[in-house]
C-alpha cells in the first residue's frame, strides 16, 4: 500500500446514519494504515465507543464549530480534510479556500445534494462550495447525475464510491438489549417498525392491517424510535394488542440497542406513504434482516427477492398478503438464505476504505506556500 496519509474526517451532526458511516470509514482508514482524526458533533452518540482512531467531539452550530475545526487543522496538519456534510455553504467555501491555500486536499461526500429545508434558496451557495473542492464522492448513480447535471460538477472531479457500511453492524460495536424489549419466546416471528415518528411513515396503515384480522403463527410487533407513535391512534394500537404481543420503545434508541433490535427480529416493516431514501434498508442488509417496504422507500441497493419484498403504497390488501407470506411458509427463510450471500460489514468497511485510499492518491499535489518570514515550505507538511 502507498504511504499512509493524515486524514481529517469531518461529520458535524454526531447522530444517525452520517455519524455511523463516518465512524466506519474512520475505522477502515485506520486499519488501512492511515493516521485518522474524526471531528464530530458535540452530541456524539458513539461517545461511549472507544475506537482505535483519534476523535474530537467539538463541532457545534455557528462559528464556534469552524473555530474548533481550524484548531484541529493547525494541530493535526492533515493531508486531506474530508467533509461528510455541511450546512453552512458560504462558511464552508471560505474554510475550503483556506485549506487549499495551505496545500491541504479537500473532499466532500454529499449524502444529500442539497438540504431538505430552503433547498433551492441555498442551491447557489452550495454550487459555489461544490466548485471549490478537489473531489466529490457520489455514493450512488443518482447523486453522480445530480452533481453533474444540477450543480455543474465536472465528471473529472466526481468519484463513485458506493456502499454504506454502518458501525452498528460491525463486531467492534457490541449490541446491548433495550430494557423494554422482552426475550424471545419459542416459535414467535418478530416484526419491527423502527424510526423517528412521522404519520407519513405508514405506522397507522400497518396497524390497521394488523388489527383487521387474526394472523397465523406467533407474530410479535416491536415499535421503536424517538416519537415513534406520532399520529398513531391509541385505539388502533389497542386493537393490534388484542391480536398479538406489541412492544413499544418510544424514545431515542442508543446505537448498541439498535444493533440488538435488528439482530433479534425477523422482518423490518417500512410501510411508508411518503417518498424517502432510507439508510435503514442498508442497515437491515448488514444484519441479514429481510425488509417489507412500500414502493415509496428508495434504497441505495435493493434487490427484490434478496433484500426483501416491495408492495404498492396504500395497498392494504397487498401489504396483508405479503405479511401473511412472511409469517407462514418459506418466504422469510428464503430471504435470509439469499442475504447470507451479501458482503459482510467488515468486508464492506475494508472496501470503502480502500476506495477512499485510491481517491486520496488522485488529489492534486500540495502546493508550496510562503510563511510569514518569506521561507517556502510544503504546505501541510511543515
Amino acid at each position: 500500500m502507498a504511504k499512509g496519509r493524515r486524514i481529517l474526517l469531518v461529520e458535524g451532526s454526531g447522530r444517525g446514519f452520517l455519524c455511523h458511516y463516518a465512524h466506519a470509514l474512520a475505522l477502515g482508514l485506520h486499519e488501512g494504515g492511515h493516521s485518522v482524526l474524526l471531528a464530530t458533533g458535540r452530541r456524539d452518540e458513539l461517545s461511549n465507543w472507544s475506537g482505535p482512531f483519534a476523535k474530537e467531539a467539538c463541532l457545534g452550530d455557528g462559528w464556534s464549530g469552524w473555530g474548533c475545526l481550524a484548531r484541529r487543522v493547525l494541530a493535526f496538519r492533515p493531508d486531506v480534510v474530508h467533509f461528510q456534510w455541511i450546512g453552512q455553504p458560504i462558511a464552508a467555501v471560505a474554510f475550503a479556500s483556506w485549506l487549499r491555500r495551505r496545500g491541504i486536499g479537500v473532499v466532500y461526500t454529499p449524502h444529500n445534494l442539497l438540504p431538505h429545508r430552503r433547498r433551492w434558496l441555498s442551491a447557489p451557495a452550495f454550487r459555489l462550495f461544490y466548485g471549490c473542492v478537489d473531489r466529490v464522492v457520489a455514493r450512488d448513480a443518482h447523486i453522480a447525475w445530480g452533481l453533474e447535471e444540477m450543480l455543474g460538477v465536472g465528471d473529472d472531479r466526481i468519484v463513485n464510491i458506493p456502499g454504506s457500511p454502518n458501525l452498528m453492524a460491525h463486531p467492534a460495536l457490541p449490541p446491548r438489549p433495550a430494557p423494554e424489549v422482552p426475550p424471545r419466546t419459542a416459535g414467535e416471528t418478530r416484526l419491527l417498525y423502527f424510526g423517528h415518528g412521522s404519520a407519513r411513515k405508514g405506522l397507522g396503515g400497518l396497524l390497521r392491517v394488523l388489527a383487521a384480522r387474526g394472523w397465523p403463527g406467533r407474530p410479535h410487533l416491536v415499535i421503536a424510535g424517538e416519537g415513534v407513535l406520532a399520529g398513531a391512534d391509541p385505539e388502533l394500537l389497542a386493537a393490534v394488542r388484542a391480536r398479538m404481543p406489541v412492544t413499544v420503545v418510544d424514545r431515542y434508541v442508543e446505537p448498541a440497542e439498535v444493533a440488538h433490535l435488528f439482530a433479534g427480529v425477523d422482518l423490518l416493516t417500512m410501510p411508508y406513504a411518503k417518498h424517502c431514501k432510507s439508510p435503514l434498508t442498508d442497515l437491515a442488509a448488514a444484519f441479514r434482516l429481510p425488509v417489507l417496504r412500500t414502493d415509496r422507500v428508495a434504497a441505495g441497493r435493493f434487490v427484490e427477492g434478496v433484500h426483501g419484498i416491495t408492495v404498492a403504497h396504500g395497498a392494504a390488501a397487498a401489504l396483508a398478503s405479503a405479511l401473511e407470506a412472511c409469517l407462514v411458509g418459506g418466504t422469510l427463510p428464503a430471504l435470509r438464505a439469499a442475504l447470507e450471500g451479501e458482503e459482510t460489514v467488515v468486508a464492506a468497511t475494508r472496501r470503502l476504505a480502500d476506495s477512499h485510499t485510491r481517491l486520496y492518491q488522485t488529489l492534486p499535489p500540495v502546493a508550496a506556500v510562503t510563511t510569514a518570514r518569506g521561507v517556502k515550505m510544503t504546505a501541510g507538511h511543515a
Side-chain angles (χ1 to χ4, degrees), residues 23-42:
H23 277 76
L25 176 57
L27 178 62
L29 290 172
H30 169 83
E31 292 176 340
H34 298 283
S35 179
V36 180
L37 171 60
L38 173 61
T40 189
R42 292 173 183 165

Side-chain angles (χ1 to χ4, degrees), residues 72-97:
R72 299 287 80 73
V73 169
L74 295 173
F76 184 59
R77 296 189 300 168
D79 300 301
V80 181
V81 173
H82 188 159
F83 294 93
Q84 295 300 311
W85 172 247
I86 58 103
Q88 300 168 300
I90 296 300
V93 167
F95 198 86
S97 299

Side-chain angles (χ1 to χ4, degrees), residues 16-28 31 38 44-47 49-53 55 164-175 255-256 259 283 286-287 345 349:
F17 166 73
L18 283 180
C19 173
H20 305 143
Y21 177 92
H23 277 76
L25 176 57
L27 178 62
E31 292 176 340
L38 173 61
D44 176 24
E45 67 181 14
L46 291 172
S47 59
W49 178 64
S50 300
F53 50 86
K55 180 167 72 167
S164 303
N166 192 301
L167 196 69
M168 285 190 289
H170 199 285
L173 185 71
L283 182 61
F287 281 100
V345 68
T349 300

